[in-house]
Amino acid sequence: MWRRGKEQGWRPVRGEPVVLRGWNVIDLRFAEGTAQSRMSRWSPDRLVVDYTRTMLAALRHVPEPRQIGIVGLGGGSQVKFLHRYLPSARLEVFEIDPAVLALRETFRIPPDDARLQVVLGDAALELPRRPAAYDLLLVDGYDPQGIPPALSTPGFYRACRASLREGGAVAVNLYATEHARHVAYLRAAFGERQVVVLEEPRQSNRVAFGFVGHPPRPPRPPALRWWGRRALRREFARLDAVWPGGAD
């Protein structure tokens, strides 16, 4: 979720997701001026929005994840990117809103297969049932009011930590929210020195990372296909600059 200026012709709807189509992009919206997701019509698995790339900088810490958990499907930007460029990983996605799931084909999200499962359910309830299940966890769960209360508690961040294996990482998108409170919960769950935050210069977003342990030594390049590594090279460098655990 991120914010731009008002779009001409916008008509607010009571909390229901709305699809806005431009000549080159398709947006998923919950509120006026606030985009939940954006897809390129010509390259549907390209990460158009800055913070979606920043979250995947966590692959510097977890270069070869076998299991990835994702909280919030939206338009499936990261799901499509990872499904195409990280074929060695299995993705489990939690989405609580059936109206969002109904737009899966509109946003060209692949069907479930051996590498992808989309679950209709509440991540706040599901994560505690999955101890040490994931190598990487991506949290981008929003409703029309922002981050839901169930995803805004110390217990939720403890569940995030418990769902990760040793050497794992979580990346959390914090948009227009009480980010300091969420970062404090992350630090309580992961440890003061195991959490870093990257600001998004062009958006009202910041991405918080929580790390379990340290990355492999010597560092290994992420197991992404070449184009995927190229798409994230700037984000890898940004994370390396603020977290000494991520680079030599």
Side-chain angles (χ1 to χ4, degrees):
M1 177 178 280
W2 81 102
R3 187 170 183 84
R4 296 294 193 195
K6 288 186 177 181
E7 276 75 22
Q8 194 171 19
W10 168 265
R11 293 183 297 173
V13 179
R14 298 171 184 170
E16 290 294 318
V18 174
V19 175
L20 294 183
R21 302 174 188 271
W23 72 270
N24 62 338
V25 297
I26 300 176
D27 284 0
L28 175 63
R29 301 291 174 107
F30 283 151
E32 181 177 358
T34 303
Q36 178 72 16
S37 188
R38 172 167 288 177
M39 180 184 76
S40 166
R41 283 179 175 268
W42 324 125
S43 301
D45 49 21
R46 181 166 68 90
L47 295 173
V48 177
V49 183
D50 293 355
Y51 84 82
T52 61
R53 297 190 301 275
T54 299
M55 290 178 69
L56 292 185
L59 290 168
R60 280 287 285 145
H61 179 95
V62 192
E64 298 173 347
R66 291 174 293 132
Q67 300 281 340
I68 299 176
I70 300 178
V71 177
L73 175 65
S77 301
Q78 292 169 333
V79 172
K80 290 177 286 189
F81 181 90
L82 292 168
H83 194 263
R84 176 171 182 178
Y85 294 114
L86 192 60
S88 59
R90 182 178 182 274
L91 313 176
E92 185 174 38
V93 187
F94 302 102
E95 175 55 57
I96 198 171
D97 189 345
V100 172
L101 285 184
L103 297 172
R104 186 169 178 170
E105 291 187 5
T106 299
F107 285 91
R108 297 167 68 177
I109 299 168
D112 284 8
D113 58 21
R115 295 175 43 227
L116 172 62
Q117 181 180 14
V118 179
V119 178
L120 176 62
D122 185 347
L125 300 178
E126 297 292 342
L127 283 183
R129 300 169 183 163
R130 289 164 169 76
Y134 306 117
D135 303 295
L136 176 61
L137 182 63
L138 305 172
V139 180
D140 189 17
Y142 281 81
D143 62 21
Q145 286 72 48
I147 300 179
L151 307 186
S152 303
T153 69
F156 173 72
Y157 285 106
R158 288 194 297 269
C160 290
R161 170 62 179 82
S163 75
L164 291 169
R165 299 165 177 161
E166 183 62 28
V170 63
V172 184
N173 174 39
L174 298 174
Y175 160 78
T177 189
E178 298 176 42
H179 67 275
R181 176 165 61 93
H182 287 260
V183 172
Y185 293 160
L186 267 172
R187 287 179 172 147
F190 285 80
E192 186 75 22
R193 296 184 179 181
Q194 295 297 103
V195 173
V196 297
V197 180
L198 287 179
E199 302 280 342
E200 290 297 345
R202 301 193 298 177
Q203 298 171 330
S204 301
N205 299 70
R206 49 189 56 81
V207 175
F209 299 89
F211 301 104
V212 181
H214 296 280
R217 297 296 184 190
R220 299 195 301 271
L224 292 161
R225 289 171 171 158
W226 179 86
W227 187 258
R229 294 198 305 272
R230 184 177 186 276
L232 299 177
R233 65 192 187 282
R234 293 186 182 89
E235 286 71 29
F236 292 150
R238 288 182 65 210
L239 182 59
D240 287 347
V242 299
W243 191 57
D248 284 338

